[in-house]
Amino acid sequence: MSDAVRTSVPAAAAIRAPSVGGVAVHVRGLRRVFGPRAVLDGLELTIGRGEFVALLGASGSGKTTLLRILGALDGADAGEVLVPEARTIVFQEPRLVPSKRVLANVTIALPRGQAERGRRALSEVGLEGHADAWPATLSGGEAQRVALARALVREPELLLLDEPFAALDALTRLRMQDLVGELCRNHRPAVLLVTHDVDEAVRLADRICVLRDGQLVTDEPVAVDRPRDPGDPAFAALRRRLLTDLGVHPPGTAPGPDHPTSPAPLV
């Protein structure tokens, strides 16, 4: 990455910069302080173009803070952050505008005359017949699919997902995971998924990071063949390692010297 596009991050917002080479996101020495506590303290992270990274961490570890800084919804106190100009966020709640129909919600950030583009996006998420529906008539899974269509219709280079399936029932969550995986393979944005679900991270990601004490204590490629089955020994072994890094020790394992003896909440 060229030094010409590197600059310090002001407290106001993350720096916007075009992707350089094969890198979509570059974070170096990132620090964010709330009161006496540094939630992010010298964090380093790189995400390649088209790479899907999952971020795990206990409650209050700074996962969403990092995502908000990358999405320019929060500022940093120190460090360098390079992100693409074209980036979108999908939150846990769909955040649809209730007074606009589904198609208008999908195209809300686009110039006028983009209805056909919005219809194609709805078709991709399996909602081509819902263009004229009102948000109040949608199920939770349908509303979240509209939110995904709204994010992807802008053709982002970086897609930020903040626990987007947490409010869904188990079956709908699995279907949404499959859909997101397929959409990301088709569109190839860089992806950062913040999640508390270890199985979800292993199922979807190319790489998994664990955030603890303001830094990434784990940054590991997912070497599990697709489609990924939780019964695969490689899947189960990676799950056990990640749980240990999170301070949660599966039955039959003992806590190491660097981990707490009681489980940490994963929310």
Side-chain angles (χ1 to χ4, degrees):
M1 181 169 290
S2 168
D3 287 338
V5 296
R6 288 181 177 170
T7 183
S8 295
V9 179
I15 294 299
R16 299 179 182 181
S19 299
V20 178
V23 175
V25 173
H26 178 78
V27 177
R28 187 172 72 176
L30 181 61
R31 183 175 172 83
R32 184 70 171 102
V33 178
F34 294 97
R37 181 182 173 217
V39 175
L40 303 175
D41 192 8
L43 186 138
E44 312 273 335
L45 174 66
T46 299
I47 302 177
R49 289 183 176 184
E51 186 178 25
F52 196 126
V53 175
L55 181 64
L56 295 165
S59 178
S61 62
K63 304 185 302 297
T64 295
T65 297
L66 173 60
L67 182 140
R68 288 175 60 83
I69 290 172
L70 296 181
L73 298 179
D74 194 6
D77 295 300
E80 296 177 343
V81 177
L82 297 175
V83 291
E85 178 76 28
R87 59 197 188 279
T88 55
I89 305 177
V90 177
F91 298 95
Q92 182 174 332
E93 309 83 15
R95 301 193 180 187
L96 304 182
V97 180
S99 60
K100 291 182 178 291
R101 296 182 188 269
V102 163
L103 180 59
N105 266 281
V106 171
T107 59
I108 195 167
L110 300 179
R112 289 179 178 273
Q114 298 293 319
E116 186 55 37
R117 187 170 161 186
R119 290 181 188 279
R120 287 197 300 270
L122 283 172
S123 179
E124 279 195 279
V125 300
L127 292 177
E128 57 270 28
H130 289 67
D132 294 325
W134 295 103
T137 68
L138 303 176
S139 68
E142 288 170 341
Q144 199 66 320
R145 280 190 275 164
V146 174
L148 279 170
R150 181 179 58 195
L152 291 171
V153 78
R154 297 172 61 188
E155 300 178 356
E157 291 182 68
L158 174 62
L159 178 62
L160 301 166
L161 303 172
D162 190 7
E163 302 194 42
F165 317 125
L168 304 177
D169 64 82
L171 181 58
T172 303
R173 186 182 306 127
L174 289 172
R175 290 171 175 165
M176 288 295 295
Q177 289 171 2
D178 288 340
L179 176 61
V180 166
E182 179 183 355
L183 290 172
C184 290
R185 286 189 292 273
N186 291 340
H187 288 265
R188 300 300 295 165
V191 181
L192 180 66
L193 167 68
V194 166
T195 180
H196 65 276
D197 187 330
V198 173
D199 281 18
E200 179 174 280
V202 178
R203 196 163 184 251
L204 288 174
D206 302 314
R207 208 171 101 224
I208 298 176
C209 299
V210 175
L211 181 59
R212 192 174 75 235
D213 298 328
Q215 299 181 352
L216 299 182
V217 298
T218 301
D219 189 342
E220 181 172 349
V222 181
V224 181
D225 292 336
R226 297 181 188 272
R228 292 175 178 162
D229 179 357
D232 184 328
F235 190 115
L238 178 55
R239 181 202 293 120
R240 286 194 298 271
R241 291 200 301 276
L242 292 168
L243 287 171
T244 298
D245 289 344
L246 288 159
V248 179
H249 306 286
T253 65
D258 296 328
H259 298 290
T261 56
S262 59
L266 303 184
V267 294

